[in-house]
């Protein structure tokens, strides 16, 4: 068998393994990044797996902009504003604290040079929101905790990667100036935000003038690059540019799009983010055996000890930081305490344990160059990547798998605030539709029977969602709604079967079948509303 055929079989087996892990994740109720990390690690040690090396200069440019832009785009600006103080303390103060703490341990215990030690600290300081928030939302953790975790993971990506650039520059150039690093940090952050706002405004103006879903979605997918690339070219933070553009356009998107663009665009983004995260986790697993080969001069016990020391430091400094950050501002400033009283200790404890590392740390580690400006070998590159992977493995797998147990141990009650907000919003929307119907009926083109049917539908919707706020409700309205939804699903399934049978008989083609099936699918998704 030729090498080409062998490589094809290996690739096929790898893809089948990834698909199996992704299919298994929801069944065993484990967030997919945890399984992908373990699967990539296992795949890297399978005999016959090719040695894969990625061009470091392309990793951040190709993989990070859409991930950062997408995360920012779907972040609630209201939640960011409401929780700006705790998010700021975590996303800036904790990032710096983590970087310094890891650098000290990496220099004193692992014996990394100071610049490489600080770079490792910057790599492992940002958190990943996927695993933590997926588990927290499923178990009904208070909404504010989920919002803080999501906001932290968004903003600390920017902070950590700006610091990463500063540390990387010190390693590559061989020189470091605290004043120069501080100036680059401030200028880079301010410039990144400015470029992000400018790009967001330009994209918004362009999309206001478009009415073509594929083109609009394509522009949405490229917007992260539109912000990231010019910012990097100008020497400012491409990360902050992509994040700023995402927040800006996420706020303004409802005025730029129609229902078709929103439905298709959301699906595309979910799939794209899913694939990019999967690629990152698997790539590190595939490269790990080569990294370990390059570290064959270091004993296994020593490597494990180094990994445990750095991972333990990451977990410990977060727990050390989290309680003073939660209670000290309230103690020192009565105004903060009056507006936002002391939280129960369980909240900070959960936030402290939910500091899992993931995609951004992976991308930053893989982006380390092979050589310095002087042409020498980048110092301790393989060791830094190995230690970053250890942190990801310990936090994502160890803390991620234990997080449901911690949530139950801390005794959180199920938070129904999001459901109550949704009910209020649906009531308001139905009332607005009834009011508009009353305005349109006198115009004469609305038939009386049509108006009567629609009014009854909207009034039932108001009654159904209002019942959720009535403690004395006997559940009769919800039972009627459930029975109606069951009947409609049965009928919609009969419609689908009839359409598919027509296609099977050759009466209609796929070009007719697919739009009809899509309409039936959309109608089914509306049933719970």
């Amino acid at each position: 068998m030729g090498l080409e055929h062998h490589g094809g079989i290996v690739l096929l087996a790898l893809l089948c393994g990834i698909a199996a892990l992704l299919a298994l994740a929801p069944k065993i109720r484990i967030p997919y990044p945890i399984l992908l990390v373990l699967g990539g690690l296992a795949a890297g040690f399978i005999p016959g797996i090719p040695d894969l090396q990625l061009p470091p200069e392309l990793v951040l440019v190709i993989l990070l902009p859409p991930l950062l832009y997408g995360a920012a785009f779907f972040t609630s600006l209201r939640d960011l504003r409401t929780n700006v103080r705790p998010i700021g303390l975590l996303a800036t103060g904790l990032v710096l604290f983590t970087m310094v703490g890891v650098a000290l341990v990496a220099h004193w215990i692992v014996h990394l040079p100071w610049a490489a030690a600080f770079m490792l600290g910057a790599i492992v300081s940002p958190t990943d929101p996927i695993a933590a928030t997926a588990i927290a939302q499923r178990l009904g953790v208070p909404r504010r905790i989920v919002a803080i975790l999501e906001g932290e993971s968004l903003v600390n990506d920017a902070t950590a990667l700006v610091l990463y650039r500063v540390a990387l520059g010190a390693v590559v150039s061989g020189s470091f100036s605290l004043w120069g690093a501080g100036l680059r940090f401030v200028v880079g952050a301010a410039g990144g935000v400015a470029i992000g706002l400018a790009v967001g405004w330009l994209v918004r103006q362009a999309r206001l003038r478009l009415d073509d879903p594929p083109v609009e979605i394509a522009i949405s997918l490229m917007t992260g690059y539109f912000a990231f690339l010019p910012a990097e070219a100008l020497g400012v933070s491409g990360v902050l540019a992509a994040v700023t553009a995402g927040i800006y356009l996420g706020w303004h998107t409802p005025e730029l799009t129609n229902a078709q663009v929103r439905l298709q665009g959301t699906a595309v983004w979910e799939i794209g983010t899913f694939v990019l995260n999967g690629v990152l986790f698997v790539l590190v697993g595939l490269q790990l055996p080569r990294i370990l080969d390059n570290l064959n001069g270091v004993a296994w016990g020593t490597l494990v000890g180094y990994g445990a020391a750095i991972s333990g430091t990451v977990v410990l400094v977060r727990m050390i930081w989290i309680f003073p950050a939660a209670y000290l501002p309230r103690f020192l400033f009565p105004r903060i305490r009056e507006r936002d009283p002391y939280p129960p200790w369980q909240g900070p404890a959960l936030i402290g344990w939910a500091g899992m590392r993931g995609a951004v740390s992976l991308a930053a580690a893989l982006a380390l160059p092979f050589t310095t400006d002087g042409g020498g070998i980048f110092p301790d590159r393989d060791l830094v990547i190995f230690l970053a992977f250890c942190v990801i493995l310990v936090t994502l797998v160890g803390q991620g798998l234990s997080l449901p147990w911690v949530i139950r141990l801390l005794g959180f009650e199920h938070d129904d605030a999001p459901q109550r907000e949704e009910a209020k919003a649906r009531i308001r929307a139905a009332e607005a539709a009834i009011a508009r119907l009353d305005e349109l009926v006198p115009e004469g083109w609305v038939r009386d029977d049509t108006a009567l049917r629609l009014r009854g539908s909207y009034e039932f919707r108001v009654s159904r969602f209002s019942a959720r706020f009535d403690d004395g409700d006997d559940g009769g309205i919800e039972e009627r709604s459930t029975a109606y939804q069951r009947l409609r699903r049965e009928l919609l399934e009969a419609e689908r079967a009839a359409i598919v049978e027509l296609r099977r008989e050759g009466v209609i083609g796929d070009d007719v079948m697919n739009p009809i099936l899509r309409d039936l699918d959309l109608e089914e998704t509306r049933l719970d509303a």
Side-chain angles (χ1 to χ4, degrees), residues 89-103:
L89 287 172
L90 292 171
T92 54
L94 180 55
V95 165
L96 288 166
F97 190 50
T98 302
M99 185 178 73
V100 172
V102 169

Side-chain angles (χ1 to χ4, degrees), residues 89-90 92-94 97 316-326:
L89 287 172
L90 292 171
T92 54
L94 180 55
F97 190 50
L316 182 61
V317 296
R318 183 175 178 88
M319 297 303 295
I320 292 173
W321 175 272
I322 201 74
F323 284 97

Side-chain angles (χ1 to χ4, degrees), residues 53-61 164 363 365-371 381:
Q53 289 194 29
L54 294 176
E57 65 275 7
L58 296 181
V59 174
L60 287 178
V61 173
Y164 166 83
L366 291 175
L368 293 175
F370 292 111
T371 60
R381 180 181 189 272

